[in-house]
Amino acid sequence: MNKRLMALLSVVTIVGSACNATAPASQAPASQPAATTGASQPAASAEAVKLVVWPRNYTLTQDPPFQPVTKTWEAAHPGVTVELSGAPYDPQFQRIELSQAGQISDVPDIVQLDNIWLGQFTEEKILANLDSYYASWAGKTDILPAYADSTKWNGSQQAVWFYSDIRLLIWNKDVFKKAGLDPEKGPATWDDVMADAQAIKEKVPGVVPVGFPAASQEGTVDRWYPYLYMTGSNILSPDNKTAVFNDAGGQKAVQFYVDLVNRGYASKDLLTQEADAVSASVFSGKYGMMLATVGSGLSDRPEGMTAEQFKATIGAIVPPICAGCQQATVAGGWMLGITEKSTHKDLAWDYIMAVTDGAQMVPFEDQFTRVPVRQTGLADPSKFATDPYFGESAKAAAVAHFPPFIAKYTGMIEFIWTGIQKAVNGDLSTKDALDEAANSVNTLLATP
Amino acid sequence: MVRRVVARATPWLLLVAPLVLLFLFLLLPYLLTFYYSVTGATIGHLSNVPLVGSANFQAVLTSRNPPFPGVLFVTAAFTVGTLVGSLVLGTVLALALYTVPAGRRSALLAVYLIPWVIAGVVIGYTWKLMYDPEIGLANTLLEAVGVSPVSWLSDRATSIAALVVANVWAGYGIVLLVISAALANVPPNLILAGQVDGAPVARIVRRIILPAIRPAVLLAALVALVGGLNTFDLIYAMTKGGPLYQTETMALEMYRLTALKGSIGQGAAVTVILFTISLLLAVIYVVLWRREARKWT
């Protein structure tokens, strides 16, 4: 009997452990950060109203952008309270999806969304159409045209820009000094990158001249897109139905990475490195330079590093361009949207207007080197004294591109980064790697 | 009469709460996993989902990114590596500790068990630093003996081995614990008899100690096997299954499909496949266990 019992327990142990280890994804959402909803009560009601806002977690640990304005706004709206519930990146996406699916009972009125989620959230009817609000919003003309267009889906406004980040090339000034290069002058062209990398390789042993993220993550494609766009290429065709990143421009952009590796200026170890890790390595002097996100440039500086020390350590410039190419970069960032399920849409819009107001956002943008999405912000560099490279960010904002806002974007980028990885690793030629990736993307786009 | 009914019902009443919990948190997720594996469920669409038959299994098995045989190979290599490594290291350490006086043995055992109680993520990040191509301890040691640096986690030839080493370090503790407990029950007379007969240490270990602790070795092997098969946190912290899926195990594949791609159906299909493999291993284990049990009787 005991033996049988032990055998039975063993079976349960093996099978149960296997399932427990792999099954929780379908259960995990239940443990996402929770927020109680008050969205079921109409705004006009005399009863207390709770506006549920789901921002990113880090925005709640600092005063701007939410804390001071929320108190002021609540004071101006008696009977209305704002409940702020933060979450990290992936859980933020998951909880919004799960709320829409009804798998968690919490229903937010306002969500903070990465700009790459806009298409998916709109197609899934998570986000409410904001055209009627935009129609009477005087401040809309202040939003930079490229940014204003990027909150649209099928011609309709679906969100309001919150804050942005932009890709610039950053370099370590100490490494440049040791290599005999001008520490105040970054490479303006791809040829300059190669020349500077050669100097670093020759004169600064132990330092990898160039870094770029090449791990299996969104940052890999995000940092590659500027090189793609500057060749005149694009990710998808204008109707967003076919991949075009495998054209001559796309191949040129990937070949740039391959050449860096083949010449010994970059290491295949980058295949395991995410953008933040590469950025940290430029700060520490392990890498000489990289295309980084400004917004995670100064704000991600090591603990205790002042803005002055940052300026003394790191240089930043608009992305270097190839011969015959046009200046281009990629912007990303965060928007605020009102959920279709919200029963307090007017209040939600009012709150969004208060939070995203240009004057209210400036201290946040200055402190965390975010790029203003408003023309009045960009026009007044004196308010952004903390960011020594505000001028470069402003230049970059004028040539910023955004990835396509389609529901399948988050699914298709895995094929693109895999293509880049295969080319960098030498598994396939640049053309074959991108063609394979494009075929996979086209198959995905064609799937209903 | 009432007293008899209460007496009969009491065990069942006591069992109700755990049985309900067991159903809710163990059986129901299993059943849901099986159900989702034949549906088109996604993270944003979990109710009223269409039945898609074996489409999820076909998609997983014919996937090119990554090819499923590759995932299976990585899972097998990682699990076998972990099993063998943990078993050997844990057993050797237990035998070594067995030669130490009892007082010191307990203290040393506690020290050797430290890696086992550290969270997998912490161990993962620690080993990731050790394998860092520029500043890592592994390459520093290689350079000290004149060997060129190795790209431990990005090179296809070394990445799985590097993960296995880290996982063995993380998991040998449980083997050590089980074997140490079994060694404490080996009759000293048998060992003494061997020593009196002049048998060398290796022969005493091979002929007396190891046969005496075979059931414990079998149990430790089971635990190490399950540990290897289910490892997620350590691999995720070190490589996230990359680069180019070359360290993608089935546990990571399930996570990638479910949590990152949002395809609950395909993630569940991977889970069902893993479940089936686990079941086969369980059957093999039971056969071995019964064979062993017959020897005891």
Side-chain angles (χ1 to χ4, degrees), chain A residues 5-55:
Chain A
L5 187 64
M6 283 189 81
L8 183 67
L9 283 173
S10 304
V11 173
V12 171
T13 307
I14 296 175
V15 175
S17 301
C19 281
N20 276 336
T22 54
S26 56
Q27 308 156 33
S31 65
Q32 297 309 327
T36 50
T37 178
S40 58
Q41 296 182 17
S45 164
E47 294 173 42
V49 169
K50 190 186 282 179
L51 199 65
V52 179
V53 183
W54 282 1

Side-chain angles (χ1 to χ4, degrees), chain A residues 131-175:
Chain A
D131 280 345
S132 58
Y133 294 108
Y134 264 78
S136 55
W137 179 27
K140 70 182 172 207
T141 52
D142 197 24
I143 306 286
L144 285 166
Y147 283 84
D149 283 345
S150 70
T151 44
K152 281 184 187 164
W153 184 83
N154 272 2
S156 290
Q157 288 290 357
Q158 299 293 144
V160 177
W161 264 103
F162 194 13
Y163 52 82
S164 176
D165 44 55
I166 206 152
R167 316 298 167 252
L168 296 179
L169 183 118
I170 62 168
W171 70 91
N172 185 298
K173 291 183 178 179
D174 286 339
V175 172

Side-chain angles (χ1 to χ4, degrees), chain A residues 318-342:
Chain A
V318 288
I321 59 170
C322 41
C325 296
Q326 296 288 320
Q327 191 73 62
T329 193
V330 163
W334 293 89
M335 305 165 168
L336 293 178
I338 300 174
T339 60
E340 189 64 58
K341 288 182 177 175
S342 170

Side-chain angles (χ1 to χ4, degrees), chain A residues 273-295:
Chain A
Q273 302 210 5
E274 297 189 356
D276 289 348
V278 182
S279 176
S281 294
V282 175
F283 273 91
S284 68
K286 183 177 155 186
Y287 292 148
M289 61 186 117
M290 76 169 290
L291 196 63
T293 299
V294 167

